């Protein structure tokens, strides 16, 4: 764990607008960035538990195909990439 002095320095940099915690983008302080990063990680883990590992991977493949001009779904249809959407239906 970072010393009190290190944390104070990280907090100062965060308050100046720098992202000092991976996944903490948008946080205005060190503590805020830590909470954002934790929440984002937990959210992804929850989604993975809901739809399973295979479904989570398929969603990632589709999302990875998106560009600023078209969504992943539009590009999948245009290029003809095989995405099995049945894998990411909520599991009961």
């Amino acid at each position: 764990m970072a010393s009190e002095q290190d944390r104070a320095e990280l907090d100062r940099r965060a308050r100046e607008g720098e992202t000092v915690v991976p996944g903490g983008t948008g946080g205005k302080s060190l503590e805020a960035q830590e909470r954002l990063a934790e929440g984002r990680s937990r959210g992804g883990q929850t989604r993975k538990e809901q739809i399973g590992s295979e479904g989570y991977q398929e969603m990632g493949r589709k999302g990875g195909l998106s560009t600023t001009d078209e969504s992943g779904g539009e590009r999948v249809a245009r290029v003809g990439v095989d995405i099995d959407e049945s894998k990411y239906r909520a599991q009961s």
Side-chain angles (χ1 to χ4, degrees):
M1 180 148 183
S3 71
E4 196 172 314
Q5 186 177 8
D6 291 340
R7 288 187 61 80
E9 172 64 17
L10 290 173
D11 189 51
R12 181 191 62 75
R13 290 172 38 199
R15 290 179 188 281
E16 292 176 356
E18 183 179 341
T19 300
V20 295
V21 177
T25 304
K28 304 296 182 199
S29 68
L30 177 60
E31 184 179 354
Q33 288 189 18
E34 289 171 338
R35 288 182 178 174
L36 281 168
E38 181 181 337
R40 288 178 178 142
S41 174
R42 192 177 319 131
Q45 186 61 39
T46 299
R47 171 58 77 199
K48 187 175 182 179
E49 290 169 2
Q50 289 172 338
I51 63 174
S53 293
E54 284 185 348
Y56 196 69
Q57 288 174 343
E58 288 294 304
M59 284 182 67
R61 286 184 59 210
K62 186 174 182 179
L65 293 170
S66 65
T67 64
T68 56
D69 297 328
E70 60 187 352
S71 72
E74 292 168 342
R75 186 155 180 223
V76 164
R78 183 176 57 79
V79 176
V81 177
D82 184 33
I83 301 288
D84 185 0
E85 292 187 6
S86 69
K87 289 183 179 177
Y88 52 84
R89 301 286 181 243
Q91 297 179 349
S92 37

